[in-house]
Amino acid sequence: MKHLLLTIVLVLFAFAKANSQILINELDVDTPSFDTTEFIELRTPTPFQSLDGYILVLFNGSSSNTTGKGRSYYVEDLDGLVTDFNGLIVLGNTDVIPAVDRVMGTGDRTGVFQNGADGVAIYLGEPEDFPEFTFARNDQTLIDALVYGTNDADATELLNLLGEATQYNEGAANNTNSLQLKSDGTYETKLPTPHSLNDTTEPSYIGLDFFITATGDLNEGDFFSLTFSLTKPAPEDFNLNFTLSNTTFDTNDFTGTTSIFIPAGGTSQQLDFNLINDAIDEGDEFIKVSLSNNLPVGYKRLKDNIRYVVIDDDFRVSNFGTPLNPTFGMVASTQPEGYYKSLNGLASPQLEQAITALIAKTGTVRQHTYADIVTILKDADASPLNSNKVWLLYSETELRDVEYQGETSRTPNWNREHVFPRNRGGFFDIKADEIADGINVWVETSVDSLRHGNSDAHHLRATNSGVNSSRGDKNYAATTTSTQYSGPDGSMGSWHGDVARSAFYMQLRYNGISVVNGDPLPRIGQLGNLATLLDWHRQDPPDDFEMNRNNVIYPWQFNRNPFIDNPELVELIFGNQVGQQFTLSTRSEAINQINVYPNPSKDVLHLNNIQEQTDVRVYDTLGRETLNTSIDGNTAINHNLSAGIYLLVLSNKTGRVTKKIIVN
């Protein structure tokens, strides 16, 4: 249908931009702080005009020879849009006031517009006419164009490609202006006026707003009210239906009417609601107030799709500890029988090759999208204290899992941290990564699929967004500097071993990246410091939280982090036992039931539930053996160890288990 329309129009009309059917009426591509209110406003000569058959294309005017010099970076299909009573329609971010008619991009709060020097254009056509990095063109399909900057030099190539003579300046970075079309066809900078004609002195609409009575998060069983208000008295009775439903939150979770009625001459109405307290653990949820974009003619939504957290009091508490208060041996590995048998009896470098063949096996290992990682982390990093929260790496605290940065504007919030930074690993997104398509949809991967490190859950963790930003792409080190990271102030280091084993996993999972000594500059392939990460691994052995992560990730990716299941592999590959053979042992419930107490201890360590002869070895944080004995029953061992952290390795014919002990 679009091709037929294009053919007819090209035969009947030679479009001149001076007589365009659609004009770029206003553009705001740079706003203070996080660019959450960017928008573009289009105008048609008549109201209620369909935009079917048109596309909006954004162009990069930078000097880049691969992505800039007039190449496209975003396309928006305008099908389904109809201009309003003023002939206007607004597209942009979710924080624009009044609310946009369509959100551009993935719905994240930050927008898709680059600051400049860049351009926007309206074409007659289809999105596939402008694949990413397609050069702008000035042909019969070009309807209107605007080249803009934020105190940038002119994008000469882009201006020439679009046939434009002027690049309009919105202002310096973080400006509060927009570019607005004047009657003579040029643009001027003014305060933004989305949804209003550019020459008006007051809004060209009646605004509908709402607020909630609650001052904090809602809880199941709470009562709350929503008050809806108009910016001007209603000229006639105002009626509008809305919804509160949002994914798992639906009409079974509350009572109250979702229909607004404000009589003629009135300006507000209050509606009351009750949240039903059930006994189902649905997790914390968002109520979403959705007005939909079908208000009566002359009205605009000042905001829409606003979400409020509802706390579920039916959360679960795990039987294992947090990384700050770890437990050991309570969570068993769910590795398939014989998973590591190919490693038995091998030493470096054959040992590394065998691990890589196992954890990067093409046809077995699965790769999911970067959006899926959010779902995985809500489970893998679930706080042992509350299943509806995530445990934050580095910060060593918990946060509600609904407070994910891409799903809320509240602070604090959390996001996805790459233990091996993206730019150091050469990881990047593709369009498909924006879609969370679940555990049953995946792509094949291999040891050479370096891009897939972007969404490998074994090195992605939930972190406080601000802390994530502070870490950046720094190397790990004992002391924080401009290029090295040791964690936020006050960190107890409960995450040290976790990041070490994640980094070691990444070196063997993908060709082309490694953990090295020193403080290497940010470049693809290198992360430091190996010596620090070895120390961290020794001081912070795998605990139940980390084993649970390994178990959660396996059904998604069909691979495991072998350094969690078999921490002794670290010394055999990176540490002080390189060249020694790996002897595979299988864990059993019997050996996991051995009790070691007190922990912390001083001079004496008690071992109970010994069912057969068991070897007992203790190693310090440098990997040195400090105790070696054998016992065949419940025993008290006088160890006389210096104060510090040690690894206790228990082994017998049924298996082996490693426990962390502390000596005061």
Side-chain angles (χ1 to χ4, degrees):
M1 182 64 187
K2 285 188 176 181
H3 286 301
L4 177 61
L5 175 61
L6 176 59
T7 302
I8 293 173
V9 171
L10 290 179
V11 170
L12 297 178
F13 299 98
F15 283 100
K17 284 184 282 183
N19 298 305
S20 294
Q21 294 185 22
I22 307 174
L23 295 172
I24 299 170
N25 194 57
E26 186 173 357
L27 179 65
D28 191 350
V29 298
D30 185 34
T31 60
S33 188
F34 295 106
D35 289 337
T36 62
T37 55
E38 297 175 345
F39 69 91
I40 184 170
E41 181 181 72
L42 308 179
R43 193 182 82 199
T44 56
T46 58
F48 311 117
Q49 182 173 326
S50 170
L51 301 188
D52 287 355
Y54 296 94
I55 55 175
L56 171 68
V57 187
L58 308 186
F59 294 103
N60 184 345
S62 75
S63 60
S64 170
N65 288 319
T66 56
T67 61
K69 295 189 175 180
R71 292 176 174 87
S72 63
Y73 68 88
Y74 180 87
V75 181
E76 181 76 29
D77 192 344
L78 301 182
D79 277 5
L81 295 176
V82 177
T83 57
D84 67 6
F85 52 93
N86 285 317
L88 302 176
I89 197 157
V90 178
L91 300 84
N93 291 25
T94 54
D95 288 355
V96 176
I97 301 175
V100 296
D101 298 296
R102 179 185 289 178
V103 175
M104 294 176 66
T106 61
D108 289 345
R109 297 180 67 239
T110 53
V112 300
F113 293 104
Q114 297 179 167
N115 287 358
D118 294 301
V120 298
I122 307 295
Y123 284 91
L124 186 63
E126 302 180 12
E128 51 264 38
D129 296 334
F130 280 90
E132 191 173 21
F133 309 135
T134 300
F135 281 107
R137 52 181 179 260
N138 179 16
D139 58 18
Q140 290 178 314
T141 65
L142 179 62
I143 305 303
D144 195 20
L146 171 60
V147 179
Y148 62 86
T150 47
N151 283 1
D152 306 289
D154 281 0
T156 306
E157 293 94 338
L158 179 56
L159 286 165
N160 292 336
L161 288 170
L162 290 172
E164 293 292 318
T166 305
Q167 176 174 306
Y168 291 95
N169 182 40
E170 184 180 309
N174 294 315
N175 69 80
T176 57
N177 306 317
S178 70
L179 293 170
Q180 299 184 29
L181 183 65
K182 299 195 297 182
S183 58
D184 63 3
T186 62
Y187 288 86
E188 63 181 336
T189 57
K190 297 170 61 176
L191 291 177
T193 59
H195 294 285
S196 286
L197 296 171
N198 294 345
D199 55 359
T200 58
T201 57
E202 62 179 31
S204 307
Y205 54 80
I206 298 176
L208 173 64
D209 201 357
F210 60 86
F211 66 88
I212 194 169
T213 54
T215 56
D217 292 337
L218 298 166
N219 294 275
E220 286 188 344
D222 283 356
F223 290 88
F224 71 95
S225 299
L226 284 171
T227 298
F228 296 87
S229 60
L230 302 174
T231 55
K232 297 177 183 178
E236 56 187 23
D237 290 351
F238 176 86
N239 294 277
L240 183 70
N241 294 325
F242 66 97
T243 65
L244 296 179
S245 299
N246 182 39
T247 59
T248 59
F249 186 90
D250 56 30
T251 54
N252 295 315
D253 294 309
F254 70 93
T255 60
T257 181
T258 54
S259 179
I260 307 168
F261 172 72
I262 299 176
T267 58
S268 66
Q269 182 190 20
Q270 177 177 302
L271 298 176
D272 299 321
F273 301 89
N274 173 225
L275 296 171
I276 296 173
N277 190 359
D278 56 32
I280 304 172
D281 181 13
E282 300 166 299
D284 297 343
E285 300 173 286
F286 280 112
I287 290 176
K288 182 166 71 172
V289 182
S290 298
L291 303 176
S292 74
N293 195 11
N294 61 351
L295 275 68
V297 173
Y299 291 86
K300 293 292 179 182
R301 305 159 296 152
L302 294 188
K303 60 175 176 275
D304 198 3
N305 298 312
I306 304 300
R307 297 183 296 182
Y308 304 97
V309 174
V310 177
I311 305 302
D312 192 332
D313 58 6
D314 301 305
F315 60 86
R316 301 181 307 279
V317 177
S318 299
N319 64 347
F320 58 90
T322 70
L324 264 184
N325 295 286
T327 57
F328 300 87
M330 300 183 69
V331 178
S333 171
T334 58
Q335 61 189 262
E337 183 177 356
Y339 183 73
Y340 291 109
K341 66 180 181 180
S342 61
L343 313 185
N344 194 33
L346 298 181
S348 179
Q350 290 77 20
L351 181 57
E352 292 99 300
Q353 295 166 1
I355 291 175
T356 296
L358 177 65
I359 65 176
K361 185 177 181 180
T362 303
T364 297
V365 179
R366 301 175 175 183
Q367 195 64 36
H368 294 272
T369 68
Y370 194 42
D372 278 324
I373 288 296
V374 179
T375 303
I376 296 173
L377 293 186
K378 287 181 179 181
D379 193 4
D381 285 343
S383 170
L385 305 176
N386 185 327
S387 58
N388 297 333
K389 297 181 178 181
V390 289
W391 187 264
L392 303 179
L393 190 76
Y394 306 141
S395 303
E396 301 176 315
T397 187
E398 57 184 9
L399 190 65
R400 298 199 177 277
D401 61 15
V402 295
E403 305 293 3
Y404 174 65
Q405 186 179 37
E407 299 171 358
T408 180
S409 59
R410 296 164 26 134
T411 54
N413 49 42
W414 65 276
N415 59 16
R416 299 159 289 191
E417 155 74 345
H418 292 82
V419 168
F420 205 113
R422 284 162 57 109
N423 67 319
R424 288 181 179 269
F427 319 136
F428 59 91
D429 302 70
I430 60 174
K431 190 70 174 177
D433 273 326
E434 300 174 359
I435 302 171
D437 44 24
I439 195 171
N440 294 319
V441 180
W442 70 90
V443 296
E444 285 195 354
T445 183
S446 74
V447 67
D448 294 314
S449 303
L450 189 57
R451 191 198 71 76
H452 289 163
N454 189 60
S455 54
D456 192 319
H458 284 301
H459 88 122
L460 279 149
R461 297 292 294 263
T463 55
N464 177 284
S465 300
V467 174
N468 189 346
S469 178
S470 298
R471 187 273 163 120
D473 62 4
K474 296 178 180 179
N475 295 303
Y476 291 106
T479 304
T480 295
T481 67
S482 60
T483 60
Q484 298 175 313
Y485 186 71
S486 64
D489 290 343
S491 170
M492 301 299 292
S494 65
W495 48 272
H496 282 171
D498 301 49
V499 300
R501 288 177 286 275
S502 291
F504 297 150
Y505 160 88
M506 292 296 287
Q507 173 166 325
L508 298 190
R509 169 62 180 86
Y510 300 96
N511 281 338
I513 60 176
S514 59
V515 182
V516 300
N517 277 311
D519 186 22
L521 294 172
R523 63 169 62 94
I524 292 178
Q526 293 188 346
L527 174 67
N529 177 4
L530 174 59
T532 296
L533 292 174
L534 275 171
D535 286 343
W536 286 359
H537 161 74
R538 293 160 180 160
Q539 296 163 6
D540 177 33
D543 55 22
D544 288 321
F545 182 89
E546 205 173 349
M547 182 65 76
N548 183 68
R549 288 196 92 250
N550 220 8
N551 293 344
V552 169
I553 294 169
Y554 180 77
W556 283 83
Q557 295 188 182
F558 275 48
N559 71 352
R560 300 180 66 86
N561 185 334
F563 301 112
I564 297 173
D565 291 328
N566 304 282
E568 59 269 32
L569 286 169
V570 173
E571 298 296 344
L572 299 177
I573 296 172
F574 300 97
N576 55 21
Q577 298 175 27
V578 174
Q580 297 184 27
Q581 289 184 345
F582 172 67
T583 302
L584 181 65
S585 62
T586 57
R587 288 177 168 76
S588 71
E589 287 301 314
I591 200 165
N592 277 319
Q593 295 303 315
I594 296 177
N595 293 328
V596 179
Y597 68 92
N599 191 8
S601 66
K602 188 173 183 181
D603 298 317
V604 180
L605 202 61
H606 294 269
L607 287 82
N608 278 357
N609 290 338
I610 306 296
Q611 300 178 17
E612 58 188 285
Q613 185 166 332
T614 299
D615 291 331
V616 180
R617 289 180 172 83
V618 177
Y619 298 89
D620 64 16
T621 57
L622 296 178
R624 298 174 299 193
E625 186 177 86
T626 59
L627 187 149
N628 186 337
T629 188
S630 181
I631 58 177
D632 57 8
N634 296 343
T635 304
I637 297 177
N638 294 300
H639 54 68
N640 296 320
L641 296 171
S642 301
I645 299 173
Y646 296 84
L647 289 184
L648 172 68
V649 180
L650 306 173
S651 58
N652 55 39
K653 66 181 181 181
T654 65
R656 174 169 50 193
V657 66
T658 301
K659 297 177 181 286
K660 176 182 178 181
I661 60 173
I662 300 173
V663 176
N664 288 333

